[in-house]
Amino acid sequence: MDFGEKLYRLRVERGIYQKQLAVYLHVSVGTISNYENGIHSPDLKTLCKLANYFQVSADYLLDRTQYVSPIDDLNRELVDRYTASDIMNTIIELSPESRKDLVKYLSMLSICDRAERPALPRREPVSPEF
């Protein structure tokens, strides 16, 4: 999917009109249309503004990655001072076999998180017998 298609999809999915986006970027509606139709491409400054506006990375807009979230999310602490970036770097350094094992483990954790935990049966209070 090229830049124009990505821009169009993001705009439509979020219910934003070309005019609204044009006002934000200080360009004409025709310029937005030209971006979406692949006639023109935004300059670097405008590309950054688009990434910020839609909360995605510039790499996502340029179809260099399928990672949709803003690049800043990679620096977000996930657990015990480990960022998403730290964890990704650790995964990349694993052997291929260890990465396969990690995927299996993550799949298992995901299943466990989604599984409904059965409610514990309620015990009737026992009345003292005299």
Side-chain angles (χ1 to χ4, degrees):
M1 181 181 329
D2 68 8
F3 172 79
E5 291 175 88
K6 287 237 177 166
L7 179 60
Y8 174 79
R9 282 193 178 181
L10 284 169
R11 188 178 59 73
V12 170
E13 286 171 2
R14 295 174 185 184
I16 298 163
Y17 294 106
Q18 284 184 339
K19 182 173 177 80
Q20 291 170 286
L21 187 55
V23 168
Y24 173 78
L25 295 174
H26 304 289
V27 298
S28 70
V29 173
T31 298
I32 302 300
S33 179
N34 287 340
Y35 292 162
E36 290 181 358
N37 291 308
I39 296 169
H40 296 292
S41 297
D43 60 21
L44 186 57
K45 184 177 177 181
T46 304
L47 180 66
C48 290
K49 286 175 104 175
L50 285 165
N52 287 335
Y53 185 80
F54 288 109
Q55 293 290 299
V56 298
S57 70
D59 280 342
Y60 176 77
L61 287 173
L62 296 173
D63 206 29
R64 293 177 39 90
T65 184
Q66 295 305 308
Y67 182 73
V68 178
S69 297
I71 204 74
D72 294 342
D73 280 358
L74 292 175
N75 294 323
R76 189 173 50 142
E77 185 178 310
L78 297 178
V79 64
D80 296 333
R81 293 178 294 185
Y82 285 98
T83 65
S85 183
D86 294 332
I87 293 169
M88 285 180 57
N89 287 331
T90 301
I91 292 168
I92 289 168
E93 293 171 2
L94 292 173
S95 69
E97 195 58 38
S98 291
R99 279 189 235 142
K100 286 180 185 176
D101 290 341
L102 179 61
V103 169
K104 288 177 192 174
Y105 183 69
L106 289 172
S107 296
M108 182 192 68
L109 286 175
S110 181
I111 289 168
C112 290
D113 274 353
R114 288 191 308 254
E116 288 185 2
R117 293 182 175 83
L120 294 174
R122 288 192 160 192
R123 297 172 65 183
E124 296 295 321
V126 178
S127 57
E129 294 183 25
F130 291 102

